[in-house]
């Protein structure tokens, strides 16, 4: 049954992978993401219903512009997320989709009307509104090469009676009289004021329910105006609270770099696992391939958006998927060493059974962190949460289903059963042999280990206090623009150029091989173009690779959400572990997680690396990884204590820590291969992510044995 189920899952995954593909986020395929927030107006309240109506208007406008594969989603009651693939000029896009666009048609009067200027700048008085944009049924840009007017916009009305009545009255004025004109206004500004044709008789008006808006239009202006009119008026005003633009080349480079890192990291991990576990290592490698296939298929079937943090999470999860296999194989080694006469297949079966609780608990804690990421974070970090959740579930299936089917089949062959050393399960392993030879009493010096951890935390806190945190634009608000130059520009030269352009307080850093990033609190589009022109003098051809703009309220909200997500993750893990184990274990694991978080944050403070959404994703992943290690140790303590209830707690904890060290080392090595590949070959976008996780894995490996367990012993007041 397990074999049939595994075959069915893999076959379905292959079919889905061949017929569908996941959506790439804008940070991978290039384009613009704009987060809009609706605001109350004198006429309407910006509630959920008004936001939904505004979203429909925006969708019509974007469709009229002919942009490919745009997506609009509502976030909360007052926010709309607009994604425009391929659009690199967010300013021009916002000029169209973000305008209120109240269209009105009014008669021109000689006196007692509202004073305005016409499209030519001449004074004009207009009367009350006779028609609004709600009466417009269609709008389309057109061009007549035979007509001196050039580009125009054809407007069709839903009912022609009101238009006919308006023009019938205007036709009563003499030709040349301003009263014979009809003013067409957009957001209370006259865009056209044509005169009713002299051939139209007084009292008759223009029939047919259509007209043309003319003016000094180019092709783009005419099409943008048609899109505004076709979409209709927004029910409430909207404002930009966040804007991100990524060039297509930057996204392509991120995909290529991640693919190279994935191939190299997986290859190194596979070689390491095969070296450690021989035939079972080959089985684990096949299971890893099935894990990657299942994850990809689920992502595609769900229509999930794969973002850069999500891609990094997908690559990382391949390395972490080794964990379940390592847990099973190490338990099988222990079982074979205890009862070798039963054979490797029996040892493997018992290994799966005994490793079940540790695998289930560690997966649940990671899913808890991923769920908090999804519900409490926002933007691309939510994509990371989705990808991580899918990866955890896929690794669970691949380890307990695919690996088990293949491993039991392989160990059931006569040739393998006769040569148990081929499986890699008949030996104790290098790490376990060293431990058995030395048999150190680690928990006897638990206060020393806690002192070392305390010193590390103190150093990290000192770095945070002295150097401060380099919060990214996501958390502080402001604007970050990244440029690539055809000629190399060093950071000092770039700082001088940007300062001379009028921005002495901007944070200017080198980015990549031939790139410059500029971050400042307030930067308008006009000022940004001035910086680009200044860089062009030293850097040659300048290309904008990335442009992120976050409003102060949005940055504050994201920062608060990050703190809430972190606190909820720690609290959630404490509750879960207290229920599954003991409150002392939960407290030890949570303090170890907090220890890891503070040290990694302090490392970034000392090195001046930015703390942004990707760092938050890394931090919450570290929490999941740290608690996984602690859970494995605590699960073994629970098992040993149940077998020897009268044994001293400290001795049981020491044995549990020593018995789980081989799993911790082998799992950590598997993840380190992936992360080292990401750090070296994953490109600038993934370097900080990989560095944070590398530090987190090293610190987490220490804390699971030398922080979490000693804390639990201290709280238990164990001898």
């Amino acid at each position: 049954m397990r074999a049939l189920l595994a075959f069915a899952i893999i076959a379905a995954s292959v079919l889905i992978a061949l017929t569908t593909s996941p959506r790439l986020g804008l940070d991978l395929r290039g384009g613009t993401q704009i987060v809009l927030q609706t605001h109350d107006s004198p006429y309407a309240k910006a509630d959920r219903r008004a936001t939904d109506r505004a979203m429909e208007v925006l969708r019509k406008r974007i469709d009229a512009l002919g942009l490919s594969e745009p997506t609009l989603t509502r976030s909360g009651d007052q926010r709309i997320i607009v994604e425009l693939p391929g659009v690199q000029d967010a300013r021009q896009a916002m000029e169209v989709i973000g305008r209120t666009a109240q269209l009105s048609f009014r008669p021109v009067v000689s006196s007692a009307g509202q004073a305005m200027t016409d499209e030519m700048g001449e004074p004009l008085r207009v009367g009350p509104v006779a028609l609004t944009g709600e009466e417009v049924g269609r709008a389309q840009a057109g061009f007549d090469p035979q007509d001196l007017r050039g580009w125009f916009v054809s407007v069709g009305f839903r009912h022609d009676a009101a238009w006919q009545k308006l023009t019938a009255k205007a036709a009563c004025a003499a030709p040349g009289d301003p009263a014979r004109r009809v003013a067409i206004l957009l957001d209370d500004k006259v865009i056209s004021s044509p005169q009713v044709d002299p051939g139209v008789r007084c009292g008759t008006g223009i029939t047919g329910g259509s007209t043309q808006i003319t003016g000094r239009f180019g092709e783009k202006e005419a099409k943008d105006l048609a899109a505004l009119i076709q979409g209709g008026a927004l029910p409430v005003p909207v404002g930009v609270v966040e804007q991100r633009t990524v060039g297509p080349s930057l996204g392509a480079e991120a995909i290529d770099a991640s693919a190279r890192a994935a191939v190299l990291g997986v290859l190194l991990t596979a070689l390491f696992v095969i070296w450690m576990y021989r035939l079972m290592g080959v089985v684990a490698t096949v299971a890893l391939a099935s894990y990657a296939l299942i994850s990809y298929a689920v992502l595609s079937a769900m229509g999930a958006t794969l973002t850069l943090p999500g891609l990094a999470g997908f690559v990382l999860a391949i390395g972490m998927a080794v964990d379940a296999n390592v847990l099973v194989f190490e338990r099988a080694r222990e079982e074979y060493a205890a009862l070798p006469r039963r054979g490797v297949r029996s040892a493997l079966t018992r290994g799966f059974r005994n490793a079940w609780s540790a695998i289930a608990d560690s997966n649940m804690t990671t899913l808890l962190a991923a769920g908090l990421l999804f519900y409490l974070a926002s933007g691309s970090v939510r994509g990371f949460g989705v990808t991580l959740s899918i990866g955890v579930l896929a690794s669970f299936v691949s380890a307990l289903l695919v690996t088990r089917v293949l491993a039991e089949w392989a160990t059931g062959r006569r040739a393998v059963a006769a040569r148990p050393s081929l499986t890699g399960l008949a030996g104790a392993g290098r790490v376990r042999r060293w431990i058995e030879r030395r048999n150190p009493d680690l928990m006897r010096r638990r206060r020393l280990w806690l002192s070392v951890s305390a010193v590390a935390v103190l150093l990290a806190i000192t770095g945070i206090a002295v150097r401060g945190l380099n919060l990214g634009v996501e958390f502080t608000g402001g604007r970050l623009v990244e440029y690539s130059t055809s000629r190399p520009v060093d950071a000092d030269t770039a700082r001088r150029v940007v300062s001379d352009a009028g921005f002495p307080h901007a944070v200017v850093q080198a980015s990549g091989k031939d790139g410059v990033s500029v971050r400042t609190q307030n930067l308008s589009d006009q000022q940004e173009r001035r910086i680009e022109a200044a860089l062009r003098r030293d850097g040659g051809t300048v290309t904008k690779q990335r442009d992120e703009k976050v409003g102060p309220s949005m940055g504050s909200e994201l920062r608060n959400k990050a703190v809430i997500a972190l606190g909820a993750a720690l609290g959630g893990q404490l509750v879960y572990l207290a229920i599954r184990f003991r409150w002392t274990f939960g407290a030890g694991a949570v303090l170890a997680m907090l220890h890891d978080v503070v040290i990694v944050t302090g490392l970034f403070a000392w090195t001046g690396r930015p703390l942004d959404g990707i760092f938050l994703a890394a931090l919450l992943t570290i929490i999941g990884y740290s608690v996984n290690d602690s859970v494995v140790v605590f699960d073994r303590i629970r098992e040993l204590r149940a077998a020897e209830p009268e044994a001293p707690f400290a001795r049981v904890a020491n044995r549990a820590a020593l018995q789980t060290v081989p799993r911790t080392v082998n799992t950590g090595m598997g993840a380190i291969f992936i992360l080292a590949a990401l750090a070296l070959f994953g490109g600038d976008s993934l370097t900080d992510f990989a560095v944070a996780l590398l530090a987190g894995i090293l610190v987490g490996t220490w804390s699971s044995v030398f922080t979490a367990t000693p804390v639990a012993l201290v709280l238990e007041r164990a001898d």
Side-chain angles (χ1 to χ4, degrees):
M1 289 300 296
R2 276 195 294 266
L4 288 174
L5 183 57
F7 178 79
I9 291 174
I10 292 175
S13 299
V14 170
L15 180 63
I16 293 172
L18 292 176
T19 55
T20 60
S21 59
R23 292 175 57 245
L24 294 180
L26 293 182
D27 53 358
L28 293 178
R29 58 175 171 169
T32 295
Q33 182 190 70
I34 303 171
V35 180
L36 303 171
Q37 181 157 339
T38 57
H39 302 283
D40 293 343
S41 73
Y43 313 103
K45 182 176 177 60
D47 53 14
R48 180 184 290 257
R49 183 177 178 185
T51 303
D52 285 336
R53 286 169 53 209
M55 191 164 66
E56 291 306 314
V57 171
L58 293 173
R59 182 174 285 112
K60 290 179 182 178
R61 292 182 183 179
I62 292 171
D63 290 342
L65 289 174
L67 300 177
S68 61
E69 300 182 18
T71 59
L72 288 89
T73 53
R74 178 170 52 76
S75 177
D77 290 344
Q78 292 183 272
R79 287 206 179 128
I80 301 171
I81 301 174
V82 182
E83 292 188 351
L84 306 173
V87 173
Q88 298 299 309
D89 194 337
R91 178 181 54 83
Q92 291 184 356
M94 275 305 304
E95 285 180 356
V96 178
I97 65 175
R99 292 178 63 176
T100 309
Q102 296 284 353
L103 186 71
S104 62
F105 298 80
R106 306 186 188 186
V108 177
V109 296
S110 56
S111 62
Q114 187 177 356
M116 291 187 174
T117 56
D118 64 11
E119 67 272 26
M120 305 298 293
E122 299 295 329
L124 190 72
R125 287 188 175 274
V126 298
V129 175
L131 279 169
T132 67
E134 294 182 359
E135 297 290 331
V136 175
R138 60 175 177 81
Q140 185 175 1
F143 178 75
D144 186 353
Q146 305 300 323
D147 196 324
L148 295 177
R149 296 176 300 173
W151 283 91
F152 59 88
V153 177
S154 296
V155 176
F157 298 99
R158 302 182 191 276
H159 310 287
D160 65 348
W163 174 247
Q164 185 176 353
K165 181 180 178 181
L166 175 62
T167 53
K169 185 176 180 180
C172 294
D177 188 335
R180 197 176 177 89
R181 296 163 69 183
V182 174
I184 305 172
L185 291 80
L186 186 68
D187 290 338
D188 288 330
K189 181 180 178 181
V190 177
I191 58 173
S192 183
S193 56
Q195 180 174 258
V196 175
D197 191 272
V200 178
R201 291 182 297 174
C202 175
T204 302
I206 300 175
T207 59
S210 64
T211 188
Q212 290 183 351
I213 301 176
T214 59
R216 296 177 178 178
F217 299 146
E219 179 181 4
K220 186 179 184 310
E221 289 82 3
K223 289 183 176 179
D224 288 352
L225 178 58
L228 282 170
I229 297 172
Q230 181 71 37
L234 289 170
V236 287
V238 297
V240 178
V241 293
E242 183 178 352
Q243 172 187 308
R244 301 178 189 276
T245 300
V246 178
S249 60
L250 192 65
E253 289 172 5
I255 294 175
D256 293 341
S258 298
R260 289 195 301 270
V263 171
L264 179 60
V266 170
L267 180 61
L268 291 174
T269 301
L271 291 175
F272 173 75
V273 172
I274 292 172
W275 178 60
M276 290 298 299
Y277 297 107
R278 299 173 191 171
L279 180 59
M280 291 300 100
V282 175
V283 169
T285 301
V286 174
L288 274 180
S290 70
Y291 153 79
L293 174 64
I294 294 169
S295 298
Y296 181 83
V298 174
L299 276 171
S300 302
M302 290 177 58
T305 300
L306 186 59
T307 61
L308 184 58
L311 186 61
F314 180 75
V315 174
L316 171 66
I318 295 175
M320 294 185 70
V322 178
D323 185 37
N325 292 311
V326 170
L327 275 169
V328 171
F329 295 159
E330 288 298 327
R331 291 308 300 258
R333 279 179 168 179
E334 293 178 20
E335 296 296 332
Y336 184 84
L339 294 169
R341 66 179 183 276
R342 292 189 178 183
V344 289
R345 179 162 184 173
S346 176
L348 186 68
T349 301
R350 296 196 303 276
F352 272 104
R353 183 175 62 248
N354 293 334
W356 162 254
S357 61
I359 293 173
D361 283 329
S362 60
N363 276 273
M364 282 301 300
T365 52
T366 305
L367 279 175
L368 181 61
L372 290 169
L373 264 177
F374 181 79
Y375 286 107
L376 298 178
S378 61
S380 58
V381 181
R382 296 189 72 189
F384 179 86
V386 172
T387 309
L388 187 61
S389 300
I390 293 172
V392 168
L393 294 174
S395 68
F396 193 76
V397 171
S398 67
L400 297 182
L401 191 63
V402 179
T403 300
R404 184 161 189 175
V405 168
L406 294 175
E408 289 186 346
W409 177 85
T411 53
R413 305 303 93 196
R414 287 185 179 179
V416 174
R419 301 173 180 83
S421 59
L422 290 175
T423 64
L425 304 180
R430 293 168 178 80
V431 177
R432 192 177 299 279
R433 285 199 299 269
W434 182 88
I435 291 174
E436 289 175 352
R437 227 175 20 248
R438 299 292 183 90
N439 192 29
D441 188 356
L442 299 178
M443 295 304 111
R444 184 168 60 88
R445 299 183 177 181
R446 52 183 175 270
R447 299 190 185 278
L448 172 63
W449 310 136
L450 290 176
S451 299
V452 172
S453 295
V455 170
V457 170
L458 183 61
L459 285 174
I461 293 174
T462 303
I464 296 171
V466 174
R467 297 292 300 271
L469 297 177
N470 180 17
L471 295 178
V473 69
E474 289 175 86
F475 299 142
T476 61
R479 190 167 184 179
L480 172 67
V481 188
E482 187 175 314
Y483 306 93
S484 64
T485 58
S486 58
R487 295 195 299 267
V489 179
D490 60 74
D492 292 333
T493 302
R495 289 189 191 98
R496 175 180 52 78
V497 168
V498 173
S499 178
D500 293 344
F503 304 95
H505 301 297
V507 178
V508 182
Q509 296 174 317
S511 176
K513 184 180 179 182
D514 297 316
V516 175
S517 68
V518 179
R519 191 181 77 195
T520 184
Q521 196 68 27
N522 297 302
L523 187 68
S524 66
D525 292 326
Q526 184 178 2
Q527 291 171 329
E528 185 274 321
R529 288 194 291 271
R530 205 161 78 218
I531 290 177
E532 186 174 337
L535 289 172
R536 201 175 292 123
R537 289 194 293 270
D538 289 282
T541 303
V542 176
T543 304
K544 186 160 56 174
Q545 297 283 8
R546 185 170 55 148
D547 188 352
E548 298 183 6
K549 184 192 298 181
V550 180
S553 61
M554 187 72 172
S556 176
E557 180 180 322
L558 290 173
R559 188 170 61 249
N560 293 338
K561 281 187 174 181
V563 174
I564 292 171
L566 182 59
L570 294 173
Q573 305 282 15
L574 174 60
V575 171
Y576 180 83
L577 292 173
I579 293 172
R580 287 289 295 154
F581 297 96
R582 298 163 64 92
W583 75 267
T584 53
F585 289 8
V590 168
L591 286 175
M593 285 187 286
L594 190 59
H595 160 278
D596 300 345
V597 166
V598 171
I599 290 178
V600 173
T601 305
L603 173 65
F604 269 56
W606 279 115
T607 57
R609 293 179 178 273
L611 275 64
D612 51 16
I614 293 180
F615 174 81
L616 175 62
L619 209 59
L620 289 175
T621 306
I622 290 169
I623 288 175
Y625 185 88
S626 175
V627 78
N628 278 2
D629 274 2
S630 299
V631 162
V632 171
V633 177
F634 292 158
D635 181 78
R636 187 61 65 91
I637 292 175
R638 179 173 57 185
E639 179 183 334
L640 293 176
R641 203 172 189 192
E644 302 177 50
E646 302 301 324
F649 187 75
R651 192 174 72 188
V652 171
N654 188 71
R655 283 180 57 200
L658 293 177
Q659 289 178 5
T660 55
V661 164
R663 168 264 164 198
T664 302
V665 171
N666 292 343
T667 297
M669 288 299 297
I672 284 174
F673 285 127
I674 294 286
L675 292 171
L678 275 177
L680 295 175
F681 306 104
D684 295 330
S685 303
L686 297 178
T687 299
D688 289 341
F689 179 88
V691 168
L693 283 174
L694 276 171
I697 285 177
L698 294 175
V699 175
T701 300
W702 164 275
S703 67
S704 63
V705 176
F706 298 104
T707 305
T709 308
V711 166
L713 288 176
V714 170
L715 294 176
E716 290 276 352
R717 298 180 180 179
D719 297 328

